[in-house]
Amino acid sequence: MKLNLITTTLLLASASAIAEPNITISTTTNSRDFPLSAEQPLVVPLTKDGYTLKITGVEGDCVAPDGQKVKFNKPIALNCGKPTELPLKVRFTGDYSFAYDDAAKTLLFKREPKKAAKTEFKRPIPQVQCEVYQGGEVTIAVGDSFPEGTKLRDAYSGQMVEVKEQKVSLTPSKDSGGLVLLEPVQKTKEAVLFDYRNANIYFVMVDRFNNADASNDNSYGRKKDGKDEVGTFHGGDLKGVIEKLDYIKSLGTDAIWLSPIVEQVHGFVGGGDSGSFPFYAYHGYWTRDFTKIDENFGNEEDLKTLVEEAHKRGLKVLMDAVINHSGYSTLADLQFDGIDVLKPNAELPKKWGDWQPKAGENWHSYHQNIDYQSLNWAKWWGGDWVRTGLPGYPAPGSSDITMSLAGLPDFITELDK
């Protein structure tokens, strides 16, 4: 009796020692058993079908959750001490692997990559015979490449030929070894006359566009008013326009129209009916000297560069010119030109252009210091070609030709001398 007990114990121990996980893969018609090893994944060929997986022989303390689904590359929890059954749907025929993890008590399902048979490509050796150039003229069939009548140029010799009867004849360059490279001759584009009626023109108020050179912002002693800066110079210049040429071109522009850039009056007049701000000639319509570029805008070299760079981009440059009138007689300009038309009791700073209104005054009040009946006005523009109504000048009229615009000195444009 004692011997039988020992024998039974040994048999149970032996069975436990040799137990290992097993997977049964079944369809509705057949079933296959495979051992699972933690050392190496099990790879099994599967066809497109529905399967049932049954994993047994897993020892330890583990419980698989209900409702698990088999998914690629996602560990499947297994039951310990009892079978784990799972449905599997295979959509593509191929090799699939089952990797068992003994520590985690899981099974990982993966599709194995296809094993393509390696083939070595061997390029066939063409069986051709090349004709050796012996010199002289050659005739080449080109009908498959160029239409009849096409003019061609040989890139090596520079010869021009025309396709006739699907062939061309020429003498290859002596340096090309008989090689010929034929290219179609590009037709020269006919010049198209520019028509401003169809042009896109971009207007630039230079002072208000882009400031690329702050060093010239206060030329001729011009100042800011420290308030809204409605009528002061803001610093835009020709260099600023140059900086923006690519932007202007990107808008589909054909030409740039610049506000006048010639030298403007240096000083200010009163702005608005109430003279609430100093009004400078930032707009370019109060010319002082038609032969110079206003320093606030730059210089002749800047203008030359602007035109050259614009032309490189296919842009034309239009220059605005105001030839109806000149600019006002500001305090700064009267002092600069040495024209003494001040009243005896005039109260002005050392630099007349620095004048500012006192309490109870506005920016028009600077006129109180000027004697508009002085004969010295003749030293200003001169009455032979400007009408202003000042002593020594013709008075403005009422017609479109003789009127004075906003009190500006009017050029006598009807003169024939």
Side-chain angles (χ1 to χ4, degrees):
M1 185 69 179
K2 185 176 181 181
L3 179 60
N4 291 338
L5 179 60
I6 294 174
T7 302
T8 302
T9 302
L10 289 173
L11 289 173
L12 290 173
S14 176
S16 176
I18 62 174
E20 61 181 8
N22 184 82
I23 182 170
T24 301
I25 304 175
S26 306
T27 66
T28 56
T29 58
N30 62 66
S31 177
R32 291 179 291 172
D33 293 333
F34 301 94
L36 290 174
S37 171
E39 303 297 328
Q40 184 175 355
L42 169 67
V43 179
V44 181
L46 299 175
T47 59
K48 180 180 179 181
D49 205 342
Y51 296 86
T52 298
L53 305 180
K54 183 178 180 180
I55 301 94
T56 59
V58 179
E59 299 295 332
D61 183 14
C62 57
V63 178
D66 295 333
Q68 285 191 104
K69 293 183 179 180
V70 179
K71 295 183 179 180
F72 288 122
N73 302 313
K74 185 175 181 180
I76 305 166
L78 303 176
N79 287 314
C80 293
K82 66 176 183 178
T84 303
E85 293 192 13
L86 299 164
L88 172 64
K89 184 72 173 179
V90 174
R91 299 182 182 276
F92 301 98
T93 298
D95 290 340
Y96 294 84
S97 66
F98 298 87
Y100 172 64
D101 187 334
D102 187 54
K105 309 301 182 185
T106 59
L107 190 67
L108 188 67
F109 179 61
K110 296 175 62 177
R111 184 179 181 185
E112 293 293 296
K114 293 182 179 180
K115 297 179 180 179
K118 293 184 178 180
T119 59
E120 183 179 355
F121 174 74
K122 293 184 177 180
R123 186 181 299 278
I125 300 175
Q127 301 297 319
V128 296
Q129 290 184 344
C130 296
E131 182 179 348
V132 178
Y133 177 58
Q134 302 295 332
E137 186 178 76
V138 297
T139 299
I140 306 171
V142 295
D144 292 339
S145 302
F146 302 105
E148 191 74 8
T150 303
K151 295 185 182 300
L152 304 174
R153 177 182 178 274
D154 176 25
Y156 292 104
S157 66
Q159 293 178 75
M160 306 286 287
V161 292
E162 183 178 343
V163 179
K164 295 181 179 180
E165 298 180 356
Q166 301 185 0
K167 295 178 292 184
V168 294
S169 297
L170 73 161
T171 302
S173 169
K174 64 179 181 179
D175 298 322
S176 70
L179 186 63
V180 172
L181 177 57
L182 297 174
E183 301 172 318
V185 177
Q186 299 295 328
K187 293 183 178 180
T188 304
K189 293 183 178 179
E190 296 181 2
V192 179
L193 294 177
F194 184 80
D195 190 342
Y196 278 100
R197 290 175 297 181
N198 296 323
N200 292 323
I201 301 175
Y202 190 97
F203 177 73
V204 175
M205 178 67 73
V206 177
D207 175 70
R208 302 301 171 90
F209 187 58
N210 183 39
N211 187 357
D213 184 2
S215 67
N216 60 13
D217 287 0
N218 302 107
S219 299
Y220 312 112
R222 293 166 178 154
K223 300 181 182 300
K224 304 293 185 183
D225 64 20
K227 297 180 180 179
D228 296 330
E229 310 296 347
V230 175
T232 56
F233 278 81
H234 286 198
D237 43 43
L238 295 175
K239 289 182 179 178
V241 180
I242 295 171
E243 281 188 351
K244 297 295 184 178
L245 284 177
D246 288 333
Y247 160 72
I248 295 173
K249 179 64 178 178
S250 72
L251 301 177
T253 305
D254 299 307
I256 306 172
W257 172 9
L258 298 178
S259 59
I261 59 172
V262 294
E263 185 177 339
Q264 301 295 298
V265 294
H266 297 173
F268 59 83
V269 295
D273 293 339
S274 61
S276 57
F277 60 90
F279 197 177
Y280 289 89
Y282 69 85
H283 40 68
Y285 296 122
W286 298 342
T287 301
R288 169 187 165 83
D289 190 337
F290 288 93
T291 67
K292 298 178 182 177
I293 293 177
D294 194 281
E295 293 179 8
N296 256 82
F297 303 139
N299 53 45
E300 291 185 12
E301 192 62 32
D302 295 336
L303 177 59
K304 180 180 178 181
T305 301
L306 169 58
V307 173
E308 290 175 348
E309 291 299 318
H311 287 177
K312 288 179 183 179
R313 294 163 174 80
L315 294 169
K316 295 186 179 297
V317 180
L318 299 177
M319 306 292 293
D320 197 333
V322 180
I323 57 176
N324 176 73
H325 55 263
S326 67
Y328 292 109
S329 55
T330 74
L331 287 172
D333 292 279
L334 290 174
Q335 184 178 32
F336 186 88
D337 293 328
I339 301 175
D340 184 10
V341 290
L342 298 182
K343 292 180 179 179
N345 60 345
E347 296 182 4
L348 295 174
K350 183 177 181 180
K351 292 184 178 180
W352 298 358
D354 290 344
W355 179 91
Q356 293 187 16
K358 300 176 182 178
E361 296 181 335
N362 58 48
W363 290 95
H364 289 316
S365 300
Y366 78 90
H367 291 289
Q368 299 173 4
N369 296 289
I370 300 176
D371 180 4
Y372 286 101
Q373 301 304 317
S374 173
L375 298 179
N376 288 336
W377 281 106
K379 299 177 182 179
W380 191 35
W381 286 101
D384 55 344
W385 64 300
V386 172
R387 59 169 68 90
T388 67
L390 292 170
Y393 292 82
S398 58
S399 70
D400 290 341
I401 295 177
T402 62
M403 67 176 291
S404 174
L405 175 65
L408 289 159
D410 184 64
F411 292 134
I412 307 176
T413 53
E414 68 272 22
L415 287 176
D416 57 3
K417 61 178 180 179

